[in-house]
Amino acid sequence: MKILLVKPKWFVKGGLYRPLEDIKFTPLNLGILAALSPGHAVTVADGDWDAVPLDEHFDLVGITVSTFTSERAYAMADRFRAKGAKVVMGGPHPSLLPEECLGHADAVVVGEAEYVWGDILAHVPRNSLKKIYKSDRPTEMKDVPLPRRELLNDKGWMACVQATRGCPNKCLYCYLPEVPWHVYRKRDIESVYNEIKAIKQKVVFFVDDNLFADPAYAIALFDRLAPLKKLYSMQTPTTISKNPALVEKMAQAGCFHVQMGFQTSNPDSLKWAGIAHNHIGDYKQTVALLHRYKILVTGFLMMGFDTDNKDIFDRTVKLVKEIELDDANLYILTPYPGTRIHAQFKSEGRLLEGKPRLNFGWANAVFQPKNMTPK
């Protein structure tokens, strides 16, 4: 079969992600599906960097969909289906709202695709696709093949790698607790080492949601990676400050930058959102510890919790300065359709109906906050 795997465009020129417009976060998920499609002619298109071949005929089109790309994905899917292709959608949005996606797709993957992709490839030629494909268990990391990087637009200065999947935290604002891949799993360290050793780029970004849920695993991983002399950026929880030996191992391995979810300057908001692992009083020493090892810190901070008043903006700026962040990504609380918080706001009549899905990218208020206006 002739297969196209697509990630619709994420970044809008001059938008929220303008500092990232020259950084390629390669869609590893599509590279993995390509590796699971031997014997087929596979094309991978990253909408941020590649022209999506909309006028070409394909037998099967797989589209990975987030809430904020869903309208683009639907338009793309309609166009491919009109040309006779079978369209399958997967990713966070179809896993949360499969029935909505089936209005534009022939089939939807709910959860991870590794254990169902072979069925999809077998069913397409027989015209026997099921509406919904869902694995009966989380994917074991030993069953995840290396992504076919030669099909990815992987010519940038940074490469992406995944060592773990899932996260044990249950923060209210996050979609992860409500999708099947929230269960925490780890790859064999030697497998991660060999993959990174074969990557040509000097800089590697770990796409893991929580690489540090098992600190002993993280330490062993960094010990193994240190001889490669690569440079690493990764997402980290604030709790790593409780383990200075871990931070030292990160630095020795080549970690030069972390993205850290401080989430809020308001202790009441930590409680409201169930962010039990964060303690505002620890933030300054956390950043200081990372700086001691010459690791840059990008802080993620959100505004618009029900416990936030209008003073949250000044408080947040004050916190960023006090804890001496190198960089701050400031977000607006975003209730993804299909999540608990979206259902709660809907029941309270607080959703701003009719907002384009592009607005569900953390830079717009798509609901009525309790103690301020959306503006």
Side-chain angles (χ1 to χ4, degrees):
M1 283 192 298
K2 191 176 177 184
I3 300 173
L4 173 67
L5 302 173
V6 185
K7 186 204 86 179
K9 182 178 177 63
W10 272 36
F11 302 147
V12 177
K13 191 72 176 173
L16 175 68
Y17 285 103
R18 61 188 179 278
L20 306 180
E21 286 172 356
D22 295 319
I23 299 175
K24 291 180 181 175
F25 294 99
T26 44
L28 297 179
N29 53 343
L30 302 186
I32 289 168
L33 291 184
L36 291 169
S37 309
H40 298 280
V42 182
T43 300
V44 177
D46 179 342
D48 283 308
W49 306 100
D50 306 319
V52 178
L54 292 167
D55 296 321
E56 202 171 325
H57 172 75
F58 294 91
D59 301 299
L60 172 63
V61 177
I63 308 176
T64 182
V65 189
S66 299
T67 300
F68 55 90
T69 65
S70 57
E71 288 173 342
R72 289 179 184 150
Y74 294 161
M76 192 181 296
D78 292 345
R79 188 159 170 177
F80 280 119
R81 290 176 88 193
K83 293 179 68 66
K86 296 295 183 185
V87 171
V88 177
M89 291 184 177
H93 188 69
S95 294
L96 292 168
L97 291 180
E99 295 300 330
E100 178 187 291
C101 292
L102 284 171
H104 302 272
D106 297 283
V108 164
V109 175
V110 173
E112 295 164 302
E114 281 85 0
Y115 292 154
V116 299
W117 187 247
D119 292 337
I120 291 170
L121 295 182
H123 293 166
V124 170
R126 300 203 298 259
N127 201 29
S128 60
L129 275 175
K130 298 189 296 185
K131 291 293 185 184
I132 292 178
Y133 290 83
K134 183 176 181 180
S135 175
D136 59 358
R137 68 192 192 281
T139 302
E140 293 186 42
M141 297 305 284
K142 66 179 178 58
D143 295 331
V144 180
L146 293 177
R148 287 188 60 187
R149 292 183 182 272
E150 79 277 9
L151 297 181
L152 302 175
N153 191 330
D154 203 24
K155 298 173 184 169
W157 55 271
M158 181 190 78
C160 292
V161 170
Q162 183 179 54
T164 67
R165 287 186 184 178
C167 177
N169 298 325
K170 299 191 182 301
C171 307
L172 180 62
Y173 59 84
C174 184
Y175 74 87
L176 266 176
E178 301 179 56
V179 294
W181 61 86
H182 71 275
V183 180
Y184 189 68
R185 290 148 291 156
K186 301 164 286 189
R187 277 177 68 188
D188 174 70
I189 287 175
E190 201 62 22
S191 171
V192 181
Y193 169 85
N194 288 329
E195 181 178 9
I196 293 176
K197 184 180 180 181
I199 287 171
K200 61 184 179 299
Q201 288 91 338
K202 175 77 171 177
V203 180
V204 174
F205 178 70
F206 279 99
V207 302
D208 305 47
D209 291 303
N210 193 341
L211 178 59
F212 299 87
D214 181 346
Y217 172 84
I219 287 174
L221 176 65
F222 294 134
D223 275 341
R224 187 68 183 104
L225 296 181
L228 294 177
K229 304 298 183 185
K230 300 270 190 178
L231 297 173
Y232 300 97
S233 174
M234 60 198 71
Q235 300 180 91
T236 57
T238 59
T239 51
I240 63 169
S241 63
K242 304 294 184 185
N243 195 336
L246 171 57
V247 177
E248 182 177 15
K249 294 290 187 181
M250 290 166 57
Q252 289 173 349
C255 177
F256 73 98
H257 172 250
V258 298
Q259 298 177 341
M260 185 166 281
F262 297 97
Q263 310 309 0
T264 180
S265 58
N266 183 354
D268 293 333
S269 296
L270 290 178
K271 294 176 187 174
W272 182 83
I275 313 171
H277 51 284
N278 277 12
H279 303 280
I280 294 170
D282 297 338
Y283 288 178
K284 188 173 178 64
Q285 71 179 46
T286 299
V287 177
L289 175 63
L290 290 156
H291 281 172
R292 195 178 311 151
Y293 289 98
K294 295 181 168 49
I295 297 173
L296 297 165
V297 183
T298 294
F300 285 48
L301 291 145
M302 227 178 304
M303 287 156 277
F305 295 110
D306 278 4
T307 38
D308 288 344
N309 294 305
K310 284 188 282 187
D311 68 353
I312 191 63
F313 307 107
D314 288 339
R315 286 176 62 168
T316 301
V317 172
K318 183 181 178 184
L319 177 78
V320 167
K321 292 179 177 178
E322 281 183 350
I323 68 177
E324 299 184 330
L325 289 180
D326 300 292
D327 180 29
N329 283 358
L330 308 178
Y331 294 116
I332 296 171
L333 178 68
T334 301
Y336 302 109
T339 61
R340 286 179 298 146
I341 192 169
H342 187 273
Q344 175 187 326
F345 285 176
K346 186 176 181 67
S347 70
E348 294 169 357
R350 294 170 55 197
L351 294 178
L352 303 182
E353 302 291 353
K355 287 285 184 181
R357 285 284 173 74
L358 189 60
N359 284 7
F360 284 77
W362 318 294
N364 299 274
V366 294
F367 69 103
Q368 172 59 57
K370 266 209 167 165
N371 304 309
M372 61 189 87
T373 67
K375 184 177 180 180

